[in-house]
């Protein structure tokens, strides 16, 4: 039987099914990337809620797996070589799970690198820029009198949306006909920008018709509908 007891994170979040992949997360745009991919692949997993209300991400048990105190993180009892693998950073987790299952990443090397390129575009561009825009539009930063920081992130978010919109003009998904981890990385953030962050008007979202079309197809997928609410908030 699989034994994960040497991983301190399992003290705070005990594994009921230690043979299953353990997910430590919260349904935020970074968190749901992993629950959506897990739902899409059909891999057996056990979700654990990391609550920010109780600062769970700062607990020694969570930090033992991710010293960067951010969700999502995973512990796969059946990692490379059949040994457990702990991982944090959503982009790394998406690539790992896609390669482990052989799904949602092209098999040919060029297609694989191109998919990773778009995952990096989300990780280095869309995520950080939209996140800052959320801070300046919806959270503490909205009361700052000086609007220049907000405007900088509005401009950069628009630019990134423009790049993606142009790319999607003649494509069903980011990689063309195939739905991949590049879509799973990006569309939760776009949904969040116009939803929770309420920044649709600010970025002129109606100008990005191709992004809007693909977002609609994305949120209609059954695995996306499910993954968006995993782990369930307490
Ligand atoms: N680059 C990281 C970012 C993860 C991240 O920012 N997670 C946020 C939630 S979306 C978080 O855990 N924040 C908690 C904190 O900063 O204390 C990834 O993609 O995994």
């Amino acid at each position: 039987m699989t034994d994960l007891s040497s991983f301190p994170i399992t003290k705070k979040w005990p594994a009921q099914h230690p043979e299953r992949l353990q997910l430590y997360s919260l349904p935020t745009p970074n968190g749901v990337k992993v629950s959506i991919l897990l739902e899409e692949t059909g891999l057996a997993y056990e979700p654990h809620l990391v609550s920010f209300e109780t600062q769970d991400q700062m607990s020694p048990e969570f930090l033992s797996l991710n010293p960067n105190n951010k969700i999502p993180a995973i512990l796969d009892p059946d990692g490379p070589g059949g040994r457990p693998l702990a991982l944090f950073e959503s982009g790394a987790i998406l690539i790992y799970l896609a390669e482990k299952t052989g799904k949602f990443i092209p098999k040919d090397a060029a297609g694989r690198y191109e998919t990773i390129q778009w995952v990096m575009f989300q990780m280095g561009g869309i995520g950080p820029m939209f996140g800052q825009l959320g801070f300046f539009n919806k959270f503490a930063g909205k009361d700052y009198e000086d609007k220049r920081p907000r405007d900088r992130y509005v401009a950069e978010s628009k630019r990134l949306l423009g790049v993606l919109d142009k790319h999607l003009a003649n494509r069903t998904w980011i990689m063309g006909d195939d739905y991949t981890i590049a879509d799973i990385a990006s569309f939760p953030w776009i949904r969040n920008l116009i939803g929770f962050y309420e920044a649709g008007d600010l970025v002129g979202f109606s100008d990005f018709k191709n992004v809007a079309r693909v977002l609609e197809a994305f949120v209609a997928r059954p695995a996306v509908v499910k993954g968006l609410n995993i782990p369930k908030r307490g």
Side-chain angles (χ1 to χ4, degrees):
M1 185 169 153
T2 318
D3 182 11
L4 296 176
S5 61
S6 62
F7 291 86
I9 195 159
T10 63
K11 302 279 181 286
K12 190 171 172 70
W13 290 278
Q16 304 297 324
H17 303 279
E19 72 289 356
R20 296 185 190 166
L21 187 143
Q22 305 290 304
L23 168 67
Y24 308 94
S25 191
L26 186 71
T28 69
N30 285 319
V32 299
K33 292 176 198 172
V34 178
S35 44
I36 289 171
L37 178 58
L38 284 165
E39 287 296 323
E40 295 278 13
T41 61
L43 213 62
Y45 70 103
E46 184 175 342
H48 301 279
L49 185 77
V50 178
S51 171
F52 292 169
E53 279 165 31
T54 43
Q55 293 283 295
D56 286 355
Q57 77 279 22
M58 297 298 186
S59 64
E61 293 89 348
F62 188 81
L63 294 173
S64 71
L65 199 156
N66 183 359
N68 193 36
N69 63 269
K70 289 187 189 290
I71 60 94
I74 63 166
L75 175 55
D76 183 0
D78 183 27
R83 283 191 291 276
L85 177 72
L87 267 188
F88 63 88
E89 280 297 328
S90 60
I93 298 171
L94 291 185
I95 295 167
Y96 169 65
L97 292 176
E99 294 197 330
K100 177 186 167 88
T101 58
K103 291 176 175 167
F104 308 113
I105 192 160
K107 302 242 180 302
D108 68 291
R112 184 175 163 275
Y113 286 121
E114 207 186 313
T115 305
I116 293 173
Q117 159 194 281
W118 285 106
V119 171
M120 296 299 163
F121 173 80
Q122 183 283 310
M123 292 295 294
I126 287 181
M129 295 305 127
F130 288 14
Q132 294 300 325
L133 178 47
F135 173 83
F136 285 104
N137 190 48
K138 174 101 188 247
F139 304 110
K142 78 175 185 316
D143 299 324
Y144 295 1
E145 247 169 65
D146 186 346
K147 295 299 173 205
R148 284 174 298 179
R150 186 200 69 178
D151 292 347
R152 172 180 161 79
Y153 295 114
V154 170
E156 184 59 4
S157 299
K158 275 183 158 171
R159 193 189 65 76
L160 290 164
L161 284 165
V163 171
L164 191 57
D165 199 68
K166 196 166 168 204
H167 177 76
L168 288 170
N170 298 309
R171 292 178 171 90
T172 308
W173 300 105
I174 291 176
M175 285 301 295
D177 292 339
D178 295 332
Y179 170 73
T180 66
I181 54 171
D183 304 293
I184 296 173
S186 304
F187 286 98
W189 272 100
I190 292 159
R191 173 181 174 272
N192 200 65
L193 180 75
I194 61 176
F196 189 50
Y197 288 171
E198 299 170 4
D201 288 345
L202 209 53
V203 298
F205 191 70
S206 54
D207 293 344
F208 304 110
K209 301 256 182 304
N210 300 305
V211 174
R213 165 181 50 83
V214 183
L215 174 64
E216 203 180 310
F218 179 74
V219 296
R221 294 179 70 90
V224 173
V225 174
K226 266 188 98 178
L228 283 172
N229 289 307
I230 296 176
K232 284 222 173 341
R233 288 178 190 269

